[in-house]
Amino acid sequence: MSTPRARIIGTGSFLPEKRMTNDELAKIVDTSEEWISSRTGILERRIAAEGEVTSDLAAAAGLKALAAAGCAPEDLDLIICATSTPDLVFPATATIVQRKIGAQKAKAPAFDIQAVCTGFVYALGIADQFVRSGMSKKVLVIGAETFSRIVDWEDRTTCILFGDGAGAVILDSAPGGSTQGILSTHMHADGSHVELLRVTGGVSHGRPEGFDWRHDALGFVDMQGNEVFKQAVKAMGSVAEEALAANGLTINDVHWFIPHQANRRILQATAKRINLPEDRVVTTVDHHGNTSAASVPLALDEAVRDGRIQPNHLVLLDAFGGGFTWAAALIRW
Ligand code: ACO
């Protein structure tokens, strides 16, 4: 008997209400609308309200995905949340989401995945394995972030890039013999470049002198943008090719390419590297900025809801982030 394939039966997303434009950023740091839009393609991003935490965004996106899938919260038998900006050090944001969406009755496992901007594609790959093994049937996979809480608002090289948001999908096992669903997932990491992209503090490094646990952040996003740019294009290009080759497909078979939305120039350079016309790249970086683990499911949900993605389309998800980590998922919709 062949193993069941996982398929996505519903998508959802959520963005905080507050928009921040480039002109507003230019009042905070030494930058301009022109520099940000021409170097990154970002026009605006959303910023979580005071007291609005990652699990709030994640739960709202999760509920929309459940509604789209026609499932009740108690139908879920696994919740995975990809985030680098959890509400708390512990418990996992996924468990807080479980309570917020009213899924706790099922007592299903819930845990977080941390692979920075690659987090959602990693989480999808893990969920796919749970469904294929028969361990889980209905899985909620979320990517959710409040990066506005970990950027240094005095550092113009990073604070202009990021935004807050959440995206989610519901996985179910596809009927036997179905050609639709997740065809394969491919995940990689190379820990030799930690210094190029990281948050400068963390729990086990302890607290610097004068640190006020109640008020001070644990650290800020620190990035060598130029170097990350080059590595991102190379890694996203190669994992896209790996996913296609594993399924005996070519780039001409791909209807929609949904890369991590880091920077419009990275999206363009990656598409060029894999010979994909730009009109098949789903782009949301202009209105979302870089939402890290939320960027791929946010873009996916947008393309599903506006009708671009249709049954039997071939959809290629691709992401790159701190670690470095990178991953792809090839899906027959
Ligand atoms: N406004 C005005 N000038 C700026 C700004 C700004 N916001 N930021 C940098 N500059 C200046 C720099 O100081 C530099 O000035 P100098 O030449 O006088 O030294 C000049 O602009 C050029 O800087 P670069 O860093 O070379 O600019 P670049 O074209 O590389 O763009 C950017 C920078 C947008 C950060 C780009 O490198 C990038 O997008 N990198 C990738 C980011 C990414 O992919 N992250 C993905 C993962 S994120 C994650 O995992 C959390």
Side-chain angles (χ1 to χ4, degrees):
M1 204 177 79
S2 65
T3 55
R5 185 177 275 169
R7 61 177 180 157
I8 294 173
I9 58 166
T11 66
S13 60
F14 180 81
L15 292 162
E17 213 174 296
K18 183 182 162 43
R19 294 166 195 267
M20 184 183 270
T21 63
N22 295 341
D23 282 329
E24 286 172 78
L25 268 165
K27 291 181 190 146
I28 304 173
V29 284
D30 181 16
T31 189
S32 64
E33 202 295 314
E34 200 281 328
W35 194 96
I36 301 172
S37 55
S38 63
R39 296 284 182 129
T40 71
I42 300 169
L43 304 178
E44 64 173 32
R45 69 287 290 144
R46 301 295 184 99
I47 304 293
E50 210 182 316
E52 192 174 32
V53 290
T54 297
S55 64
D56 292 325
L57 316 187
L63 285 171
K64 287 189 188 172
L66 281 166
C71 294
E74 56 271 22
D75 294 339
L76 296 172
D77 46 16
L78 175 63
I79 300 174
I80 309 178
C81 182
T83 186
S84 304
T85 47
D87 291 13
L88 303 167
V89 171
F90 72 79
T93 302
T95 60
I96 303 170
V97 170
Q98 188 206 50
R99 182 169 70 181
K100 285 187 178 171
I101 65 173
Q104 66 271 43
K105 262 199 220 141
K107 306 272 186 288
F111 57 84
D112 290 357
I113 285 295
Q114 212 276 52
V116 204
C117 303
T118 317
F120 177 79
V121 186
Y122 261 48
L124 193 70
I126 293 162
D128 182 44
Q129 297 306 316
F130 271 77
V131 174
R132 281 178 188 264
S133 71
M135 180 117 174
S136 306
K137 281 202 171 64
K138 289 205 168 54
V139 186
L140 169 58
V141 185
I142 309 170
E145 303 280 15
T146 46
F147 256 57
S148 64
R149 304 274 153 71
I150 55 164
V151 292
D152 177 354
W153 288 100
E154 292 178 5
D155 176 8
R156 68 176 184 174
T157 67
T158 51
C159 74
I160 56 134
L161 297 171
F162 296 97
D164 301 333
V169 300
I170 307 291
L171 290 189
D172 192 6
S173 65
S178 171
T179 53
Q180 290 164 305
I182 299 176
L183 304 185
S184 62
T185 59
H186 305 264
M187 302 181 221
H188 297 282
D190 179 354
S192 35
H193 305 290
V194 172
E195 288 72 22
L196 294 180
L197 178 55
R198 62 187 173 152
V199 167
T200 50
V203 180
S204 75
H205 274 296
R207 310 165 201 188
E209 215 174 279
F211 185 89
D212 181 339
W213 185 258
R214 284 160 303 175
H215 301 296
D216 295 347
L218 283 169
F220 295 113
V221 174
D222 177 51
M223 176 171 69
Q224 305 294 318
N226 255 327
E227 199 43 46
V228 173
F229 193 118
K230 284 184 247 162
Q231 300 267 1
V233 172
K234 216 161 86 184
M236 289 209 292
S238 79
V239 77
E241 282 159 1
E242 179 187 333
L244 290 167
N247 291 282
L249 296 164
T250 74
I251 199 67
N252 298 328
D253 298 310
V254 174
H255 293 86
W256 298 108
F257 180 53
I258 308 189
H260 167 51
Q261 309 282 316
N263 178 327
R264 186 185 285 274
R265 284 158 54 220
I266 292 183
L267 271 54
Q268 289 168 332
T270 308
K272 195 169 163 205
R273 197 181 169 101
I274 58 175
N275 292 317
L276 183 80
E278 258 186 67
D279 60 1
R280 283 192 262 152
V281 182
V282 176
T283 304
T284 55
V285 70
D286 53 337
H287 51 290
H288 294 165
N290 179 347
T291 56
S292 193
S295 94
V296 168
L298 269 164
L300 175 66
D301 185 50
E302 195 171 293
V304 168
R305 284 176 192 261
D306 68 20
R308 271 176 288 177
I309 296 179
Q310 290 294 320
N312 292 313
H313 276 184
L314 190 67
V315 179
L316 177 56
L317 311 184
D318 196 347
F320 176 86
F324 292 135
T325 52
W326 62 103
L330 197 57
I331 304 166
R332 178 68 68 189
W333 204 259

